[in-house]
Amino acid sequence: QVQLVESGGGLVQAGGSLRLSCAASVRTASRHAMGWFRQAPGKERELVAAITWSGEFFYLGDSARGRFSISRDHAKNTVYLQLNNLKTEETAVYYCAADEGDNYSSTGWEPAYWGQGTQVTVSS
């Protein structure tokens, strides 16, 4: 069982930065791949970034490359998503997710556990 709590969302101007955090409560010693998704109003949910338990392998979506980064701190059981040079169209609810195993997929990935989401609003 994994519980996830996101923080760090807010209002930022276009071109600005935010760092999202996802604190995980893990009751087992299992290794979990984790990721960040986002869903904008009227749009489908999309995978923004993902990372394996070790952090050795990670994925960034096409729109995220060059501007976003994902990392994890095992000592704090926390995964971070650094958002730089944000665009207005990236206004969305950002969700943290974790899966049962240590694998993610760039397409069709449905993690087992989800946080409540944190709102990111980018103004012009």
Side-chain angles (χ1 to χ4, degrees), residues 48-49 58-69 84 87 90 106:
V48 178
F58 65 90
Y59 165 82
L60 292 170
D62 290 343
S63 63
R65 288 186 200 121
R67 298 184 298 122
F68 298 175
S69 62
N84 296 325
K87 304 175 182 179
E90 293 178 311
S106 61

Side-chain angles (χ1 to χ4, degrees), residues 31-112:
R31 298 185 174 190
H32 301 273
M34 296 184 68
W36 286 94
F37 292 75
R38 68 187 177 191
Q39 188 164 22
K43 294 188 177 181
E44 292 186 355
R45 185 181 63 200
E46 64 170 328
L47 175 64
V48 178
I51 190 167
T52 57
W53 184 88
S54 69
E56 181 179 1
F57 299 101
F58 65 90
Y59 165 82
L60 292 170
D62 290 343
S63 63
R65 288 186 200 121
R67 298 184 298 122
F68 298 175
S69 62
I70 186 170
S71 60
R72 64 193 303 170
D73 183 337
H74 287 297
K76 297 181 179 179
N77 272 343
T78 300
V79 173
Y80 302 99
L81 182 67
Q82 179 68 41
L83 308 171
N84 296 325
N85 193 19
L86 282 160
K87 304 175 182 179
T88 56
E89 58 265 35
E90 293 178 311
T91 292
V93 178
Y94 284 69
Y95 296 93
C96 176
D99 215 348
E100 291 285 2
D102 195 21
N103 294 295
Y104 62 80
S105 174
S106 61
T107 58
W109 186 34
E110 291 288 343

Side-chain angles (χ1 to χ4, degrees), residues 107-120:
T107 58
W109 186 34
E110 291 288 343
Y113 306 101
W114 294 84
Q116 293 297 310
T118 185
Q119 176 71 45
V120 172

